[in-house]
Amino acid sequence: MNRSTGGKTRIPGSNWLRALGCSAVTLAMACAAPPALGADPAADALIARFVQGTIGDGYRVEVEVGQLDPRLRLAPCERIEPFVPAGARLWGRSMIGVRCIEGANWNVSLPINVRVFGQVLVANTTLLAGAPASEPDFRLAEVDLTREGRNVLNDPSVLAGKTLSRTISAGQPLRADHLRVPLAVSPGDPVRIRLLGNGFEVAAEGVAMSGAGDGQPVRVRTDNGRVLSGTARGRLVEIRM
């Protein structure tokens, strides 16, 4: 049984492995009894708050805590705290560090599974490749970001002027690579070139060497054979000298 002295929780060595699941993630708060890992709602809530601080606001977090290597034998510790090990990321299956900061000198890693949920755009119905990306075709819904990845989109304003690069099924989250800007110029198209410098502007003619949408970078070849890079503005290419 744990006993408290002077507001600190002492965890005897014989009970430490069982109690760590509660104590480590409750930031050294006392536990009435060592619960089964992942089965104590209060401990789970405190774990989620700790992980939430590393992920940021605006997400719902679910955490499943694993078990330590049963072969470990650690000295009794009066106060412990969790930390994020170097190179670790509390995202999906990962590890959280736990160290003793009073009564002993050790640190260990505890397996943890973190699921992060957030609102993203999902398709209302099946949408075909090449169709305009229209805001009414999508809605915001909560998805598991640890399964979908971080390149999913949640801002409807990014749809403006875009088309779909591939077919999207109903309910499928929208990712950045699902969208493309329609080509303003294609390779081989004749273009007008505007050379902009400090206090001067020169107009020229050329040919696009790559495709680009409005506002995207494009390479052009001038009439004298020079290859320059600029920004597509429709069939006009701006090049800043």
Side-chain angles (χ1 to χ4, degrees):
M1 179 179 298
N2 296 346
R3 53 191 175 86
S4 298
T5 305
K8 301 175 183 177
T9 302
R10 182 179 298 278
I11 305 177
S14 60
N15 288 340
W16 192 86
L17 288 177
R18 295 171 59 217
L20 179 59
C22 179
S23 299
V25 293
T26 56
L27 305 180
M29 295 178 64
C31 299
L37 293 179
D40 180 67
D44 288 350
L46 287 166
I47 295 170
R49 286 200 294 271
F50 177 78
V51 176
Q52 184 86 61
T54 71
I55 295 173
D57 296 330
Y59 303 98
R60 182 171 65 85
V61 178
E62 293 182 358
V63 181
E64 179 184 353
V65 181
Q67 295 181 343
L68 285 174
D69 186 334
R71 297 169 296 180
L72 286 176
R73 294 294 181 266
L74 302 175
C77 182
E78 293 188 358
R79 193 155 63 97
I80 54 183
E81 69 176 8
F83 65 94
V84 181
R89 180 186 180 206
L90 299 185
W91 189 270
R93 295 194 179 277
S94 185
M95 303 292 288
I96 190 170
V98 180
R99 59 187 161 218
C100 180
I101 59 173
E102 188 173 338
N105 183 22
W106 46 254
N107 68 76
V108 295
S109 293
L110 183 68
I112 193 170
N113 186 24
V114 180
R115 300 178 68 196
V116 181
F117 297 84
Q119 297 283 322
V120 304
L121 292 170
V122 301
N124 290 325
T125 186
T126 298
L127 303 173
L128 300 179
S134 175
E135 188 171 337
D137 291 328
F138 295 90
R139 70 182 188 279
L140 285 171
E142 186 181 75
V143 303
D144 185 350
L145 300 178
T146 55
R147 294 175 61 89
E148 297 294 339
R150 288 200 179 226
N151 65 340
V152 288
L153 302 174
N154 61 6
D155 182 3
S157 67
V158 303
L159 302 174
K162 307 290 197 313
T163 60
L164 298 176
S165 62
R166 65 191 70 181
T167 297
I168 303 177
S169 302
Q172 183 177 350
L174 181 67
R175 301 197 311 267
D177 58 358
H178 287 153
L179 300 177
R180 66 183 177 195
V181 178
L183 291 180
V185 293
S186 298
D189 284 348
V191 295
R192 292 180 295 116
I193 301 173
R194 180 185 295 161
L195 299 170
L196 302 173
N198 187 14
F200 71 90
E201 178 179 320
V202 178
E205 302 292 327
V207 176
M209 298 185 65
S210 60
D214 190 50
Q216 293 184 325
V218 61
R219 291 187 306 127
V220 297
R221 186 178 63 248
T222 65
D223 288 342
N224 63 9
R226 292 185 62 190
V227 176
L228 302 172
S229 295
T231 302
R233 307 293 184 194
R235 288 298 182 94
L236 173 69
V237 177
E238 288 186 350
I239 300 174
R240 297 191 176 274
M241 306 299 291

